[in-house]
Amino acid sequence: MGEGPTGYIRGLSVRKTPTGVMRTLLVVSGNIPLHDEVVGFCEYGVGVETTKEHEGIYQISYIATALKVRGQHLGDTLLASVIMRLRDDAWRSNRTPLVLTQVDPRNKPSMDLFSRFGFVDEGPDPNDLEYHLLSLEFTPQERGNYFGSTLAFF
């Protein structure tokens, strides 16, 4: 142990990132050096590459915060950071500026989060009717040679 942030939120390991998947972590410094705690993360990536034959899409597959920080709008911090990253990636790699996610419509906090950022509820996912597809078209924008950090105080 003692090798960076603890790696679990609600039982999901955030230490190992699958190939082709991007993650944004929200980490809080702990009292003990090298024992920082992950209090939120978002998993996202390119769902379908943009080619001459078809438009591609980005996808957000998971966004979560630790239960102990619920209600502090850290999901907003995560989602804002991810959208900034996708805008830059679309600008740099000429990918289609469209991101999709799938949300259980009974999960009001998640539906509200994505709604605040302009995601449109496209209705039930034809492949999984319990979930709704949400989409966001965005404008690609260069963010420079580095990404600024988003800080949250709580």
Side-chain angles (χ1 to χ4, degrees), residues 73-90:
H73 295 283
L74 297 181
D76 291 74
T77 302
L78 281 167
L79 192 53
S81 178
V82 166
I83 291 171
M84 180 182 2
R85 171 71 176 99
L86 296 180
R87 290 176 73 180
D88 183 78
D89 186 75

Side-chain angles (χ1 to χ4, degrees), residues 90-107:
W91 185 87
R92 290 176 188 278
S93 47
N94 201 30
R95 290 190 173 114
T96 304
L98 172 67
V99 60
L100 298 177
T101 193
Q102 185 189 51
V103 177
D104 183 336
R106 297 169 294 184
N107 185 340

Side-chain angles (χ1 to χ4, degrees), residues 48-151:
V48 177
E49 277 291 352
T50 301
T51 66
K52 292 179 183 177
E53 292 78 36
H54 60 79
E55 292 187 348
I57 58 163
Y58 292 97
Q59 64 186 21
I60 296 174
S61 55
Y62 204 85
I63 187 167
T65 57
L67 294 176
K68 70 181 185 179
V69 296
R70 272 268 173 92
Q72 298 180 36
H73 295 283
L74 297 181
D76 291 74
T77 302
L78 281 167
L79 192 53
S81 178
V82 166
I83 291 171
M84 180 182 2
R85 171 71 176 99
L86 296 180
R87 290 176 73 180
D88 183 78
D89 186 75
W91 185 87
R92 290 176 188 278
S93 47
N94 201 30
R95 290 190 173 114
T96 304
L98 172 67
V99 60
L100 298 177
T101 193
Q102 185 189 51
V103 177
D104 183 336
R106 297 169 294 184
N107 185 340
K108 186 168 175 12
S110 287
M111 292 295 285
D112 290 348
L113 169 66
F114 286 103
S115 177
R116 283 194 299 276
F117 281 84
F119 279 75
V120 175
D121 185 345
E122 304 288 349
D125 182 339
N127 298 315
D128 192 347
L129 297 175
E130 289 186 42
Y131 292 88
H132 281 208
L133 286 174
L134 280 67
S135 67
L136 176 69
E137 293 184 52
F138 58 89
T139 303
Q141 181 180 357
E142 181 183 23
R143 300 304 299 176
N145 292 329
Y146 62 92
F147 294 101
S149 297
T150 304
L151 299 177

